[in-house]
Amino acid sequence: MIEIRYAGICHSDIHTVRGEWGPVPYPLTVGHEIVGRVTEVGSGVTRHAVGDRVGVGCMVNSCRKCANCLAGQEQYCAEGNVGTYGSVDRDGTVTQGGYSTHVVVDEDFVLRVPENIPYEAAAPLLCAGITTYSPLAHWNAGPGKKVAVVGMGGLGHMAVKIAVAMGAEVTVLSQTLSKKDDGLAFGAKDYYATSDPATFETLANRFDLIVNTVSAPIDINAYFRLLALDGTLISVGAPPEPLPVQVFALFGNRRSFAGSMIGGIAETQEMLDFCAEHGIAPEIELIDADAVNAAYERVLKSDVRYRFVIDVDSLR
Ligand SMILES: [Zn+2]
Ligand SMILES: [Zn+2]
């Protein structure tokens, strides 16, 4: 049993409660960026103890025997991972998320949250953090690599901080320059407005990696042309409609277009330890539970720097 202390607000929560991702199994509690303390453990539990500061991210179970699960990539479980909320767990119950005072989760899907990560800022690492860490690690962001981050929201600002900590040279591509000071403060070397067509000429053939965090439709082909030889554009934000991909834009420089979804449990732990070691954490705005609806409206207007976190004590 985990006594929840903080819960982040992810855009997925909003899509879900509004029924935009299909029918909702009401009553439903959302939230998949959860941190708190262990208050009780079952008799077979060995990985966590009462008093430990722990976290739960986007999934709480998987089949544990398919090739992907055995490879530590439970998010890609062949039978589908069990989402932290709104999924049917293997015992037939509907999972319930983090906007709540307590949650019970199998120990194998519970993460250790290092004490030197600020408590209230730790929650968004469980979704926004791992969603950006995993592709950056997989595609070897690091010294000598030029990485562009498209979008400076909840995901984007974490992608910048993590890629900088990995040693990459980071450029932010945002619609306007309104968050430029923040981007440079997070360690980005350059910051360009995508509303300015000159940006796409200046940066042509520049990047080894582009991490696209934007969920709105963008001219994806214009971004492919920013990739250097063997460069990869990875989308972690998904517009609802298909994107018109011009294959010719991929021919030049042997470019790749990829997707990535959260990360495995071991990799999520690695991300938390990495953030603790490098002293990086999300920028958050702490709110009480009664401000959630207003916060949703502001998330939809991209009016948050950079993630809302609910102080779950306000529910007690
Ligand atoms: Zn999320
Ligand atoms: Zn599996």
Side-chain angles (χ1 to χ4, degrees):
M1 169 103 69
I2 299 165
E3 186 179 88
I4 299 174
R5 190 64 184 77
Y6 298 102
I9 293 181
C10 174
H11 214 135
S12 311
D13 305 346
I14 304 175
H15 286 299
T16 300
V17 300
R18 299 193 170 184
E20 292 163 3
W21 282 353
V24 183
Y26 294 114
L28 184 69
T29 301
V30 296
H32 61 202
E33 296 181 337
I34 302 168
V35 293
R37 295 238 178 236
V38 177
T39 54
E40 266 181 80
V41 294
S43 57
V45 169
T46 57
R47 296 164 67 109
H48 306 284
V50 170
D52 287 357
R53 191 209 267 190
V54 294
V56 178
C58 303
M59 59 183 170
V60 291
N61 211 343
S62 71
C63 86
R64 308 175 191 222
K65 52 186 194 294
C66 73
N68 291 356
C69 282
L70 293 175
Q73 304 288 338
E74 302 90 351
Q75 73 278 33
Y76 304 123
C77 175
E79 296 182 15
N81 72 63
V82 176
T84 298
Y85 58 78
S87 277
V88 178
D89 205 347
R90 307 191 103 73
D91 63 3
T93 58
V94 174
T95 55
Q96 301 289 342
Y99 299 10
S100 172
T101 57
H102 296 80
V103 67
V104 178
V105 178
D106 185 292
E107 64 167 339
D108 291 339
F109 286 79
V110 175
L111 289 310
R112 272 180 294 106
V113 177
E115 296 283 341
N116 64 331
I117 298 176
Y119 207 168
E120 66 283 359
L125 293 174
L126 279 308
C127 175
I130 186 59
T131 296
T132 48
Y133 179 91
S134 183
L136 287 166
H138 181 77
W139 276 277
N140 301 310
K145 292 288 177 73
K146 292 186 170 69
V147 175
V149 174
V150 185
M152 258 286 278
L155 290 170
H157 93 289
M158 279 316 299
V160 172
K161 289 189 176 202
I162 291 169
V164 168
M166 288 174 168
E169 181 186 303
V170 179
T171 298
V172 179
L173 305 176
S174 185
Q175 261 186 315
T176 69
L177 298 178
S178 66
K179 297 172 181 167
K180 181 175 178 180
D181 290 348
D182 286 356
L184 299 182
F186 299 156
K189 182 168 173 284
D190 288 314
Y191 200 110
Y192 287 86
T194 55
S195 52
D196 179 358
T199 291
F200 291 88
E201 287 169 34
T202 309
L203 301 178
N205 307 312
R206 167 97 45 126
F207 301 107
D208 301 296
L209 286 180
I210 299 176
V211 179
N212 172 29
T213 69
V214 174
S215 306
I218 59 171
D219 178 4
I220 197 78
N221 301 298
Y223 290 84
F224 291 151
R225 295 189 181 93
L226 306 185
L227 288 168
L229 182 65
D230 288 327
T232 303
L233 186 153
I234 304 122
S235 274
V236 295
E241 303 83 16
L243 291 170
V245 169
Q246 277 171 6
V247 176
F248 279 109
L250 294 170
F251 281 177
N253 280 345
R254 193 166 52 195
R255 299 169 175 125
S256 300
F257 183 25
S260 179
M261 184 176 78
I262 52 172
I265 292 296
E267 189 177 43
T268 305
Q269 189 63 60
E270 177 187 301
M271 175 275 305
L272 288 164
D273 295 343
F274 177 89
C275 289
E277 185 189 328
H278 291 271
I280 53 180
E283 305 293 315
I284 64 138
E285 201 171 315
L286 193 64
I287 59 168
D288 284 349
D290 60 9
V292 166
N293 287 331
Y296 276 14
E297 293 305 323
R298 286 184 50 199
V299 170
L300 294 172
K301 284 187 281 189
S302 303
D303 174 27
V304 51
R305 296 191 182 193
Y306 281 86
R307 203 71 152 171
F308 284 111
V309 172
I310 302 165
D311 183 344
V312 170
D313 273 356
S314 65
L315 281 174
R316 291 190 170 92

